[in-house]
Amino acid sequence: MAKHTNAFPELQRDLRFVPLGVDDPQVLTAEQINRYNADGFLFPIDIFSTAEMAEIRAYIDDLVPKALAAGWGNYDVVNWHKHCRGIWDLITEPRIIDVVADLLGDSVVLRHSHLFAKLPGDPKQVSWHQDASYWPLTPSRVVSAWLAIDDTDVENSAMRVIPGSHHNAQLTFHDSAEDENNVLFQTVRDAEDWGRAPVALEMKAGQISLHSDWILHGSEPNGSNRRRCGLAMRYLSADVHAYDGWNAHSVWCRGEDPRNHWANHPRPDGEAIPANLDA
């Protein structure tokens, strides 16, 4: 399979990890911010109570079957914050934005949301990859917050990360082979050579993890009888530039965008399941 050393060689991108953090954090401690910059991830961080998560899970339990009935796959709920009020409310939740703002500063933009619903017995994996290889953005002031909708552990395919791998910035990746059964389409081979031993991000429902767009991460097939569902929310500061229309699905969650570069989708009126024209 073809290998690549630059995902977007035609673009002027700064292919470096940019340390994040503000001088006066409100939620995270200085030690947590230092750990995020050193390791490339931070978890677990409590956000929602058990009662709140019962309501959120009921909402997702209703949404996923509707998406499947409309012809979408269980990994196809992407940027539905533009259509579904419930997802919009999650990606703009002030308690999540407070945490992210301690890394990004006064301006916080949600660029992208993706619901990963690994169903029981799901044979698909997410091969080792770096998010920044998929995203035509610069500079890399991007933080992914992953909200556990379900309790997540090794048994039901918790996301794994390779600590410290983000300091290498862009790594060579290959087009994924068909027999990998990869949800995505890029694979970094020999990933464990680029950092410390993998860590599984085991979390309780209602907690979030944070990870850098450069850290190597992935997940195994879900061989358990339990779903592993999480909402990935990609946040960045307004000074980040997007190429190729990647600024079209965003929401301003805090602060302003002086360049008016990022779209700002309003809260939807209700719950609209997008039509799948390919179904």
Side-chain angles (χ1 to χ4, degrees):
M1 306 298 289
K3 70 176 182 179
H4 311 270
T5 56
N6 188 342
F8 302 96
E10 73 283 5
L11 302 180
Q12 297 297 313
R13 299 172 68 217
D14 185 350
L15 300 179
R16 293 179 297 173
F17 166 70
V18 179
L20 301 177
V22 299
D23 293 334
D24 186 24
Q26 302 301 300
V27 180
L28 300 178
T29 66
E31 191 276 333
Q32 285 176 307
I33 292 173
N34 290 338
R35 192 170 357 129
Y36 173 87
N37 285 322
D39 295 341
F41 69 99
L42 185 67
F43 87 111
I45 300 168
D46 294 334
I47 300 293
F48 294 107
S49 69
T50 300
E52 289 173 315
M53 278 313 301
E55 293 185 10
I56 293 169
R57 189 179 300 105
Y59 168 75
I60 297 297
D61 289 349
D62 180 66
L63 180 66
V64 171
K66 288 180 178 177
L68 297 176
W72 297 103
N74 52 307
Y75 299 107
D76 291 338
V77 180
V78 178
N79 290 329
W80 282 24
H81 58 268
K82 298 188 301 180
H83 312 285
C84 298
R85 176 176 290 190
I87 295 182
W88 195 96
D89 288 347
L90 288 174
I91 62 102
T92 58
E93 165 58 45
R95 285 170 289 182
I96 296 176
I97 305 306
D98 286 344
V99 171
V100 174
D102 280 349
L103 293 175
L104 293 177
D106 294 335
S107 68
V108 178
V109 177
L110 180 285
R111 185 197 64 80
H112 175 88
S113 67
H114 191 164
L115 187 72
F116 287 89
K118 277 200 171 191
L119 303 179
D122 191 335
K124 286 187 173 293
Q125 69 174 2
V126 178
S127 299
W128 291 115
H129 69 285
Q130 297 172 293
D131 289 337
S133 288
Y134 288 92
W135 301 343
L137 308 172
T138 191
S140 290
R141 289 180 52 80
V142 184
V143 177
S144 287
W146 199 95
L147 170 65
I149 305 296
D150 304 318
D151 289 349
T152 301
D153 51 41
V154 171
E155 184 181 56
N156 69 344
S157 184
M159 181 168 66
R160 299 186 302 155
V161 299
I162 296 183
S165 57
H166 61 303
H167 293 297
N168 300 293
Q170 181 72 72
L171 296 171
T172 298
F173 62 92
H174 294 74
D175 299 334
S176 300
E178 186 173 349
D179 61 5
E180 284 183 57
N181 214 4
N182 188 8
V183 173
L184 306 176
F185 56 86
Q186 295 180 8
T187 303
V188 174
R189 297 177 182 172
D190 302 316
E192 295 182 34
D193 292 345
W194 295 104
R196 303 192 299 279
V199 173
L201 305 188
E202 296 187 308
M203 295 188 291
K204 295 295 185 181
Q207 296 179 322
I208 64 170
S209 63
L210 306 173
H211 67 266
S212 163
D213 55 343
W214 283 119
I215 196 168
L216 283 166
H217 61 292
S219 60
E220 298 292 326
N222 182 6
S224 77
N225 61 2
R226 295 181 295 122
R227 186 184 69 182
R228 190 227 67 176
C229 186
L231 180 64
M233 299 166 283
R234 323 300 193 172
Y235 296 101
L236 45 78
S237 54
D239 59 320
V240 175
H241 184 82
Y243 295 96
D244 300 341
W246 279 58
N247 55 348
H249 306 296
S250 49
V251 175
W252 298 1
C253 298
R254 183 160 299 172
E256 298 180 352
D257 176 13
R259 299 179 300 144
N260 203 31
H261 177 66
W262 295 95
N264 188 20
H265 288 274
R267 188 175 189 238
D269 291 333
E271 302 291 329
I273 303 299
N276 185 348
L277 301 180
D278 296 326

